[in-house]
Amino acid sequence: MCRLISVLCMLVLAAVPAAGQFTSPTVFAIRVATGNNSVTLRNYNPATQTFGNDLFVPNTDTNALTIGNTISSEGQLTVSPNGQFLGFVGYRTGMSGDGTDRVVARYEVTTGTLNTATAMPNAQAYTTSSIRTAVWNDSGTQFWSGGNGSSTTGGTRTGAFQSTSGSIQVSATVVNTRVVGIFNGQLYTSTGSGATNGLNTVGTGLPTTSGNSTVRIADSTMTGSGSSSPYGFAISPNGLSLYMADDRSIANGGGIQKWSRTDTSSAFTLATTFGTGTGSTTGARGLAVDFSSADPTVYAVTAESSANRIVSFIDNGGVASSFTVLDIAGTGTIYRGIAFSSVPEPGTVLGFSLGVFGLVRVIRRRGRAGSRSAAGPRP
């Protein structure tokens, strides 16, 4: 019994969050230094409306990851479906044309652990061009990436955690992709390329072999004027609503688009387009949505070339509440991607701990009762 109690107490200690861990819903954003391509992962707590301590990603050693500061399509941020793993990509050193490895970072939200060991050789993936995004599965063991390249090196690829070679091109339908994401068990990618411009499914479910088709389900060319330019996106848990960022000017149809459909087997149609704040004329690239309420909260990174913003608003049935500017990129920096992680609430940990202590008390009581029975009645 003593051994069992010890084990249960150890479980309690393991369940209590340590410093630097995130145990409540959090918004994360990528910020790039325009001088040296270094990367900062920022975090914002919607409940307290405050930013926490920044995580500075190494940019000079064997674990380095850098993001090109002049290529606006790079630096997108994603989250695994269960909210546990953030994914972002870059280069071991320098920028896209430098012949360096393409690095796939995995940040574990509940432990605060960053791993940048996973990489794809330049000759294998997005050769001399841009890698833009990657998303992890719920176990953090497999990633899917997006970027630009040749018929064999570009498009949507997949690989294993901490692998440094052997990634697979899962679809050659389009080799110039932007943001990848997993929603409701399906892999998606956005692209501004030709007949697939918009949002697309990639294969069925989460493909890990080559030869899969990329199929458009939201046609961005039907919106606004000029060349449509879709980036970050989020799909509701019921699969019927889609939010997608477009970096065209507001006048040309850019901003934050809301799409809808009647069933999950049909294509999306544009319902409305939100701007990016009062008086703003620019669109957006990074996008994340908190679907926990009936009226979703939308977070976006705007598309200005400098001093761009992180903004948020509540979608009240197709009408945006007042836009809130959460932050503006300072001199020498630019914001890129954004993600929302709905990690376990602190109450979950507390409830688990109380349940374990309650079980310990029951075990002790039964142990004492058993001892009395074995000893017989008192004289």
Side-chain angles (χ1 to χ4, degrees):
M1 183 182 69
C2 292
R3 180 176 296 178
L4 177 58
I5 292 174
S6 298
V7 170
L8 291 175
C9 289
M10 289 174 65
L11 289 174
V12 171
L13 293 175
V16 176
Q21 296 176 338
F22 295 93
T23 58
S24 60
T26 305
V27 178
F28 295 90
I30 290 288
R31 189 177 65 189
V32 177
T34 55
N36 62 3
N37 305 316
S38 62
V39 178
T40 300
L41 181 63
R42 308 208 67 202
N43 64 87
Y44 174 82
N45 187 325
T48 61
Q49 300 181 11
T50 57
F51 281 88
N53 294 329
D54 293 340
L55 171 68
F56 299 97
V57 181
N59 69 328
T60 57
D61 58 23
T62 56
N63 296 316
L65 183 151
T66 58
I67 293 175
N69 64 74
T70 61
I71 303 175
S72 59
S73 61
E74 296 182 359
Q76 291 297 312
L77 185 63
T78 66
V79 64
S80 60
N82 62 358
Q84 176 75 341
F85 300 102
L86 300 180
F88 58 98
V89 298
Y91 310 96
R92 191 59 78 194
T93 57
M95 297 171 64
S96 59
D98 292 344
T100 181
D101 284 355
R102 276 70 180 125
V103 181
V104 182
R106 192 191 79 173
Y107 181 79
E108 192 167 356
V109 173
T110 53
T111 65
T113 304
L114 174 67
N115 187 295
T116 58
T118 309
M120 295 177 282
N122 169 61
Q124 180 186 94
Y126 314 108
T127 307
T128 69
S129 193
S130 290
I131 184 170
R132 296 164 177 155
T133 180
V135 64
W136 294 94
N137 62 3
D138 280 347
S139 61
T141 57
Q142 191 84 15
F143 72 84
W144 289 261
S145 61
N148 190 25
S150 69
S151 60
T152 57
T153 67
T156 307
R157 306 186 67 88
T158 189
F161 177 55
Q162 297 196 119
S163 170
T164 56
S165 64
S167 68
I168 296 171
Q169 184 188 53
V170 297
S171 177
T173 304
V174 54
V175 295
N176 187 357
T177 56
R178 288 181 172 173
V179 183
V180 293
I182 300 172
F183 295 93
N184 306 317
Q186 174 63 48
L187 179 66
Y188 297 90
T189 185
S190 64
T191 175
S193 183
T196 53
N197 188 306
L199 183 68
N200 302 261
T201 58
V202 182
T204 300
L206 303 179
T208 57
T209 58
S210 60
N212 295 274
S213 297
T214 299
V215 179
R216 183 164 61 187
I217 58 171
D219 184 357
S220 290
T221 63
M222 304 297 291
T223 66
S225 59
S227 299
S228 56
S229 188
Y231 277 90
F233 60 92
I235 298 176
S236 62
N238 65 9
L240 302 182
S241 295
L242 160 69
Y243 294 85
M244 188 157 58
D246 188 303
D247 74 347
R248 286 176 293 177
S249 68
I250 302 299
N252 287 337
I256 302 163
Q257 301 169 347
K258 181 180 181 179
W259 302 66
S260 62
R261 60 183 177 181
T262 56
D263 61 78
T264 56
S265 63
S266 60
F268 285 99
T269 57
L270 184 66
T272 189
T273 300
F274 304 102
T276 56
T278 303
S280 174
T281 61
T282 59
R285 293 192 183 100
L287 186 134
V289 181
D290 174 7
F291 288 106
S292 62
S293 299
D295 294 333
T297 301
V298 180
Y299 301 91
V301 173
T302 59
E304 295 96 341
S305 58
S306 63
N308 67 332
R309 297 160 290 139
I310 299 177
V311 299
S312 70
F313 68 92
I314 296 174
D315 174 15
N316 296 314
V319 178
S321 63
S322 298
F323 277 79
T324 300
V325 177
L326 304 184
D327 198 33
I328 301 174
T331 302
T333 67
I334 193 79
Y335 277 118
R336 292 289 176 78
I338 194 165
F340 174 78
S341 174
S342 181
V343 294
E345 295 282 358
T348 303
V349 175
L350 178 61
F352 174 79
S353 302
L354 292 176
V356 170
F357 279 122
L359 181 58
V360 169
R361 291 183 65 187
V362 170
I363 292 172
R364 283 176 171 169
R365 286 173 180 172
R366 289 182 176 178
R368 287 195 294 268
S371 298
R372 288 195 296 267
S373 297
R378 292 182 179 180

PDB file of all heavy atoms in Angstrom, residues 188-209:
ATOM      1  N   TYR A 188      -4.806  20.007 -44.640  1.00  0.00           N
ATOM      2  CA  TYR A 188      -5.156  21.055 -45.602  1.00  0.00           C
ATOM      3  C   TYR A 188      -3.921  21.891 -45.924  1.00  0.00           C
ATOM      4  O   TYR A 188      -2.973  21.952 -45.138  1.00  0.00           O
ATOM      5  CB  TYR A 188      -6.230  21.986 -45.031  1.00  0.00           C
ATOM      6  CG  TYR A 188      -7.553  21.340 -44.729  1.00  0.00           C
ATOM      7  CD1 TYR A 188      -7.805  20.771 -43.468  1.00  0.00           C
ATOM      8  CD2 TYR A 188      -8.583  21.318 -45.672  1.00  0.00           C
ATOM      9  CE1 TYR A 188      -9.027  20.189 -43.182  1.00  0.00           C
ATOM     10  CE2 TYR A 188      -9.805  20.738 -45.380  1.00  0.00           C
ATOM     11  CZ  TYR A 188     -10.026  20.177 -44.144  1.00  0.00           C
ATOM     12  OH  TYR A 188     -11.238  19.601 -43.846  1.00  0.00           O
ATOM     13  N   THR A 189      -3.968  22.573 -47.074  1.00  0.00           N
ATOM     14  CA  THR A 189      -2.945  23.552 -47.396  1.00  0.00           C
ATOM     15  C   THR A 189      -3.565  24.722 -48.152  1.00  0.00           C
ATOM     16  O   THR A 189      -4.490  24.543 -48.952  1.00  0.00           O
ATOM     17  CB  THR A 189      -1.815  22.945 -48.239  1.00  0.00           C
ATOM     18  OG1 THR A 189      -0.789  23.923 -48.434  1.00  0.00           O
ATOM     19  CG2 THR A 189      -2.308  22.481 -49.604  1.00  0.00           C
ATOM     20  N   SER A 190      -3.062  25.908 -47.882  1.00  0.00           N
ATOM     21  CA  SER A 190      -3.444  27.074 -48.671  1.00  0.00           C
ATOM     22  C   SER A 190      -2.357  27.327 -49.707  1.00  0.00           C
ATOM     23  O   SER A 190      -1.191  26.976 -49.507  1.00  0.00           O
ATOM     24  CB  SER A 190      -3.631  28.306 -47.791  1.00  0.00           C
ATOM     25  OG  SER A 190      -2.403  28.682 -47.173  1.00  0.00           O
ATOM     26  N   THR A 191      -2.728  27.927 -50.810  1.00  0.00           N
ATOM     27  CA  THR A 191      -1.779  28.247 -51.868  1.00  0.00           C
ATOM     28  C   THR A 191      -2.333  29.377 -52.724  1.00  0.00           C
ATOM     29  O   THR A 191      -3.547  29.535 -52.840  1.00  0.00           O
ATOM     30  CB  THR A 191      -1.480  27.025 -52.762  1.00  0.00           C
ATOM     31  OG1 THR A 191      -0.633  27.432 -53.844  1.00  0.00           O
ATOM     32  CG2 THR A 191      -2.750  26.430 -53.339  1.00  0.00           C
ATOM     33  N   GLY A 192      -1.438  30.147 -53.297  1.00  0.00           N
ATOM     34  CA  GLY A 192      -1.831  31.197 -54.224  1.00  0.00           C
ATOM     35  C   GLY A 192      -1.525  30.809 -55.652  1.00  0.00           C
ATOM     36  O   GLY A 192      -1.418  31.667 -56.526  1.00  0.00           O
ATOM     37  N   SER A 193      -1.399  29.504 -55.892  1.00  0.00           N
ATOM     38  CA  SER A 193      -0.920  28.998 -57.169  1.00  0.00           C
ATOM     39  C   SER A 193      -2.040  28.482 -58.073  1.00  0.00           C
ATOM     40  O   SER A 193      -2.735  27.526 -57.729  1.00  0.00           O
ATOM     41  CB  SER A 193       0.100  27.875 -56.925  1.00  0.00           C
ATOM     42  OG  SER A 193       0.637  27.390 -58.114  1.00  0.00           O
ATOM     43  N   GLY A 194      -2.215  29.124 -59.230  1.00  0.00           N
ATOM     44  CA  GLY A 194      -3.027  28.622 -60.333  1.00  0.00           C
ATOM     45  C   GLY A 194      -4.386  28.071 -59.980  1.00  0.00           C
ATOM     46  O   GLY A 194      -5.174  28.687 -59.252  1.00  0.00           O
ATOM     47  N   ALA A 195      -4.660  26.866 -60.478  1.00  0.00           N
ATOM     48  CA  ALA A 195      -5.978  26.243 -60.337  1.00  0.00           C
ATOM     49  C   ALA A 195      -6.265  25.766 -58.922  1.00  0.00           C
ATOM     50  O   ALA A 195      -7.384  25.333 -58.637  1.00  0.00           O
ATOM     51  CB  ALA A 195      -6.099  25.069 -61.311  1.00  0.00           C
ATOM     52  N   THR A 196      -5.282  25.825 -58.048  1.00  0.00           N
ATOM     53  CA  THR A 196      -5.502  25.430 -56.655  1.00  0.00           C
ATOM     54  C   THR A 196      -5.522  26.630 -55.718  1.00  0.00           C
ATOM     55  O   THR A 196      -5.528  26.457 -54.494  1.00  0.00           O
ATOM     56  CB  THR A 196      -4.398  24.447 -56.205  1.00  0.00           C
ATOM     57  OG1 THR A 196      -3.118  25.027 -56.464  1.00  0.00           O
ATOM     58  CG2 THR A 196      -4.523  23.119 -56.942  1.00  0.00           C
ATOM     59  N   ASN A 197      -5.527  27.837 -56.256  1.00  0.00           N
ATOM     60  CA  ASN A 197      -5.517  29.054 -55.443  1.00  0.00           C
ATOM     61  C   ASN A 197      -6.672  29.029 -54.445  1.00  0.00           C
ATOM     62  O   ASN A 197      -7.835  28.948 -54.831  1.00  0.00           O
ATOM     63  CB  ASN A 197      -5.637  30.277 -56.351  1.00  0.00           C
ATOM     64  CG  ASN A 197      -5.440  31.572 -55.609  1.00  0.00           C
ATOM     65  OD1 ASN A 197      -6.097  31.840 -54.614  1.00  0.00           O
ATOM     66  ND2 ASN A 197      -4.539  32.401 -56.106  1.00  0.00           N
ATOM     67  N   GLY A 198      -6.332  29.070 -53.168  1.00  0.00           N
ATOM     68  CA  GLY A 198      -7.344  29.003 -52.119  1.00  0.00           C
ATOM     69  C   GLY A 198      -6.960  27.976 -51.084  1.00  0.00           C
ATOM     70  O   GLY A 198      -5.785  27.786 -50.775  1.00  0.00           O
ATOM     71  N   LEU A 199      -7.966  27.269 -50.544  1.00  0.00           N
ATOM     72  CA  LEU A 199      -7.727  26.216 -49.561  1.00  0.00           C
ATOM     73  C   LEU A 199      -7.983  24.862 -50.194  1.00  0.00           C
ATOM     74  O   LEU A 199      -8.960  24.676 -50.928  1.00  0.00           O
ATOM     75  CB  LEU A 199      -8.624  26.399 -48.339  1.00  0.00           C
ATOM     76  CG  LEU A 199      -8.391  25.381 -47.222  1.00  0.00           C
ATOM     77  CD1 LEU A 199      -7.023  25.584 -46.574  1.00  0.00           C
ATOM     78  CD2 LEU A 199      -9.482  25.447 -46.171  1.00  0.00           C
ATOM     79  N   ASN A 200      -7.113  23.889 -49.882  1.00  0.00           N
ATOM     80  CA  ASN A 200      -7.183  22.568 -50.490  1.00  0.00           C
ATOM     81  C   ASN A 200      -7.049  21.464 -49.447  1.00  0.00           C
ATOM     82  O   ASN A 200      -6.340  21.631 -48.450  1.00  0.00           O
ATOM     83  CB  ASN A 200      -6.040  22.384 -51.489  1.00  0.00           C
ATOM     84  CG  ASN A 200      -6.035  23.420 -52.589  1.00  0.00           C
ATOM     85  OD1 ASN A 200      -6.494  23.170 -53.685  1.00  0.00           O
ATOM     86  ND2 ASN A 200      -5.495  24.601 -52.293  1.00  0.00           N
ATOM     87  N   THR A 201      -7.685  20.327 -49.705  1.00  0.00           N
ATOM     88  CA  THR A 201      -7.379  19.113 -48.959  1.00  0.00           C
ATOM     89  C   THR A 201      -6.160  18.461 -49.591  1.00  0.00           C
ATOM     90  O   THR A 201      -5.924  18.586 -50.799  1.00  0.00           O
ATOM     91  CB  THR A 201      -8.545  18.117 -48.984  1.00  0.00           C
ATOM     92  OG1 THR A 201      -8.865  17.798 -50.351  1.00  0.00           O
ATOM     93  CG2 THR A 201      -9.779  18.698 -48.301  1.00  0.00           C
ATOM     94  N   VAL A 202      -5.381  17.769 -48.783  1.00  0.00           N
ATOM     95  CA  VAL A 202      -4.221  17.025 -49.283  1.00  0.00           C
ATOM     96  C   VAL A 202      -4.441  15.560 -48.953  1.00  0.00           C
ATOM     97  O   VAL A 202      -4.356  15.159 -47.786  1.00  0.00           O
ATOM     98  CB  VAL A 202      -2.908  17.526 -48.660  1.00  0.00           C
ATOM     99  CG1 VAL A 202      -1.715  16.762 -49.256  1.00  0.00           C
ATOM    100  CG2 VAL A 202      -2.740  19.017 -48.872  1.00  0.00           C
ATOM    101  N   GLY A 203      -4.751  14.772 -49.975  1.00  0.00           N
ATOM    102  CA  GLY A 203      -5.027  13.369 -49.746  1.00  0.00           C
ATOM    103  C   GLY A 203      -6.250  13.171 -48.862  1.00  0.00           C
ATOM    104  O   GLY A 203      -7.114  14.049 -48.738  1.00  0.00           O
ATOM    105  N   THR A 204      -6.298  12.028 -48.188  1.00  0.00           N
ATOM    106  CA  THR A 204      -7.379  11.701 -47.258  1.00  0.00           C
ATOM    107  C   THR A 204      -6.791  11.515 -45.871  1.00  0.00           C
ATOM    108  O   THR A 204      -5.841  10.742 -45.691  1.00  0.00           O
ATOM    109  CB  THR A 204      -8.108  10.411 -47.681  1.00  0.00           C
ATOM    110  OG1 THR A 204      -8.657  10.589 -48.989  1.00  0.00           O
ATOM    111  CG2 THR A 204      -9.226  10.086 -46.702  1.00  0.00           C
ATOM    112  N   GLY A 205      -7.319  12.238 -44.916  1.00  0.00           N
ATOM    113  CA  GLY A 205      -6.788  12.154 -43.557  1.00  0.00           C
ATOM    114  C   GLY A 205      -5.416  12.786 -43.469  1.00  0.00           C
ATOM    115  O   GLY A 205      -5.216  13.934 -43.892  1.00  0.00           O
ATOM    116  N   LEU A 206      -4.451  12.043 -42.936  1.00  0.00           N
ATOM    117  CA  LEU A 206      -3.084  12.532 -42.776  1.00  0.00           C
ATOM    118  C   LEU A 206      -2.143  11.635 -43.580  1.00  0.00           C
ATOM    119  O   LEU A 206      -1.560  10.680 -43.056  1.00  0.00           O
ATOM    120  CB  LEU A 206      -2.692  12.529 -41.292  1.00  0.00           C
ATOM    121  CG  LEU A 206      -3.596  13.327 -40.353  1.00  0.00           C
ATOM    122  CD1 LEU A 206      -3.102  13.212 -38.918  1.00  0.00           C
ATOM    123  CD2 LEU A 206      -3.681  14.778 -40.778  1.00  0.00           C
ATOM    124  N   PRO A 207      -1.973  11.906 -44.869  1.00  0.00           N
ATOM    125  CA  PRO A 207      -1.201  11.014 -45.747  1.00  0.00           C
ATOM    126  C   PRO A 207       0.290  11.020 -45.418  1.00  0.00           C
ATOM    127  O   PRO A 207       0.866  12.064 -45.102  1.00  0.00           O
ATOM    128  CB  PRO A 207      -1.462  11.586 -47.145  1.00  0.00           C
ATOM    129  CG  PRO A 207      -1.756  13.035 -46.903  1.00  0.00           C
ATOM    130  CD  PRO A 207      -2.498  13.079 -45.600  1.00  0.00           C
ATOM    131  N   THR A 208       0.899   9.872 -45.522  1.00  0.00           N
ATOM    132  CA  THR A 208       2.338   9.745 -45.265  1.00  0.00           C
ATOM    133  C   THR A 208       3.078   9.108 -46.437  1.00  0.00           C
ATOM    134  O   THR A 208       4.267   8.801 -46.326  1.00  0.00           O
ATOM    135  CB  THR A 208       2.593   8.920 -43.997  1.00  0.00           C
ATOM    136  OG1 THR A 208       1.962   7.632 -44.133  1.00  0.00           O
ATOM    137  CG2 THR A 208       2.042   9.625 -42.768  1.00  0.00           C
ATOM    138  N   THR A 209       2.375   8.885 -47.542  1.00  0.00           N
ATOM    139  CA  THR A 209       2.996   8.332 -48.742  1.00  0.00           C
ATOM    140  C   THR A 209       2.857   9.327 -49.886  1.00  0.00           C
ATOM    141  O   THR A 209       2.097  10.294 -49.799  1.00  0.00           O
ATOM    142  CB  THR A 209       2.339   7.003 -49.131  1.00  0.00           C
ATOM    143  OG1 THR A 209       0.929   7.220 -49.351  1.00  0.00           O
ATOM    144  CG2 THR A 209       2.514   5.969 -48.037  1.00  0.00           C
TER     145      THR A 209
END
